[in-house]
Amino acid sequence: MTLTIRTRLASVFAIAALCATALGCAQTGSSPAPTPADAKAFLDTVNKTMLKLGIEQGTAGWVQQNFITDDTEAIAARANQAYIDAVARFAKEATNYDKVDVPADQRRQLMLLKVSLVMATPGDPKESDELTRIAARLESTYGKGKWCPDPSKPETCKNIDEVTRILASSRNEKELRAAWEGWHTIAPPMRKDYQRFVELSNKGAKELGFADTGAMWRAKYDMPPDDFTKELDRLWTQVQPLYLKLHAYVRMKLREKYGDVVPANGPIPAHLLGNIWAQDWSNVYPLVSPKNADAGYSLTDILKKRNMPPLEMVRTGERFYTSLGFAPLPKPFWERSLFVRPKDRDVVCHASAWDIDLESDVRIKMCIEQNAEDFTTIHHELGHNFYQRAYKDQAVLFRDSANDGFHEAIGDTIALSVTPEYLVKIGLLDKAPDTSRDIGLLMTKALEKVGFLPFGLLIDEWRWKVFSGEITPAAYNKAWWDLKLKYQGVAPPSGRGEEFFDPGAKYHVPDNTPYTRYFLAAILQFQFHRALSQTAGCTLPLNRCSIYESKPAGDKLNTMLSMGLSHPWPEALEALTGSKQMDATAILDYFEPLSRWLDTQLAGKPVGWK
Ligand SMILES: [Zn+2]
């Protein structure tokens, strides 16, 4: 998963809010009620300011990630803070125009400003200051988190990359358990801070008119917060049967490997799924791989054999989009992107797409290697750039995806079109393998995407209940594991009482980044892929459909992308799929061959958990 630079709006948190302009401040009391002209002037200022500060933040961030030094970090932090402060100020000022009669597009911009905060600070400067400090401390506690097997020997401490590698590659149950428990030692010190964080951020959210911070997050989705929760439940109910089958099959295979530590009909131990949080099961593929069902070719081998240069891999990705009718990427993209790891300095190599000036200066930053994963990731990253290009003529406040799940979903949608048939068309593969070889490919994808779904849901279910008070501090950890069991069918390897704070061991909790977007993206990408494949006239099984070279599919895609955030997301969804409702049945369609295969493997075997 990667970031687009526009997610900076969503990751904003507020500091002490002041009235920026005389014209906006309702609480001054004596000033006259604002007029529609005032509202228009306010929004003009907002759009102009955010563009200016956004460009400063984008360029500073780019330099920082390409030349990592203390100075570039300081410069980037300053630019971030300036942006965050401005958004926080504007969000509070926007409430002054609640009763002013303005055109619909201006009303939407005012609404978006009000829901753009992830954390609202209380009006009391002391409390505001305390909250800001706690938020920073939570983040840095996680960032510095290390597992020290022997505290007397600091050189043996392991950071998250090292723990991740053990979870991914070790097949030794004891070693996996030690690493899992080890990583979770970073979190108990966060517990008190998190409790206070919840109290103070709720206070800030209430001052903005929301019931609590969780309600403020849900308000972003163009529907009443409770309706949105029901929507998520409905989507989960659609995919749950497929998840249960995958869970049962993986459990059966892990039991063959690890024995009685994996119960025959109970939850899967959390440390055996190849990932610290059991959120992506790809790493256990070698333990569960179906026999004689490999694709029969390796894209990585093909790329290496042809010695395809990174730049040519990017050109190939661009041709995918131009084949749909999109204009080629602008000149700055080719001049300013980072495609290969520089030899002379440290850079952040994690793949990302950027939109520096919210217009034509789009870029990707990757350290491309000749392998299948990077080939697919290029298609994904360019999806962000083409989205950004498509909405560049909208008002600045509308230059973002229809909701926060859409941006990631688009990149992944295109990545789903990187099929054997596509590789044949672009000359990388002579002949597509028979569809009987699909089970291996589908299993790989299911371990990543289907395995993820319940995790994508439960992080915010836990947080929403924490913010609302339904989960009290005395039951933080119990409630966490109750949800892990309910949705994922996963249990901790050992007793986890309230002396622990296991949610804190997942980045997005101490960092306070909402998580539902990843669940939405996981659902939407298949719905987009099915709709576009139908438009492209594909009659193959859905997992074999590629929209490459389909102008009609490109038109539909472009219609939705160019809307940006200017309309409620159900309207954007309708423009592409013909439906205003999210629909997880596309996932079932896509994995239908695997689902049937799982049925034969599971005949007479337990499904579900006690
Ligand atoms: Zn991405």
Side-chain angles (χ1 to χ4, degrees), residues 1-3 380-381 384 408:
M1 272 170 235
T2 59
L3 295 172
H380 171 99
E381 296 305 333
H384 291 307
E408 288 307 323

Side-chain angles (χ1 to χ4, degrees), residues 445-501:
K445 277 218 159 69
L447 290 173
E448 180 198 340
K449 306 216 178 211
V450 180
F452 172 77
L453 291 167
F455 184 80
L457 199 60
L458 74 84
I459 299 275
D460 279 352
E461 179 150 344
W462 182 82
R463 274 194 293 202
W464 293 344
K465 286 183 173 167
V466 165
F467 285 128
S468 77
E470 194 181 328
I471 295 173
T472 62
Y476 275 172
N477 221 42
K478 180 183 183 302
W480 174 257
W481 285 107
D482 285 350
L483 289 171
K484 296 276 281 182
L485 180 66
K486 177 185 169 191
Y487 286 107
Q488 284 186 291
V490 159
S494 44
R496 306 299 292 177
E498 295 302 323
E499 68 274 30
F500 296 107
F501 182 57

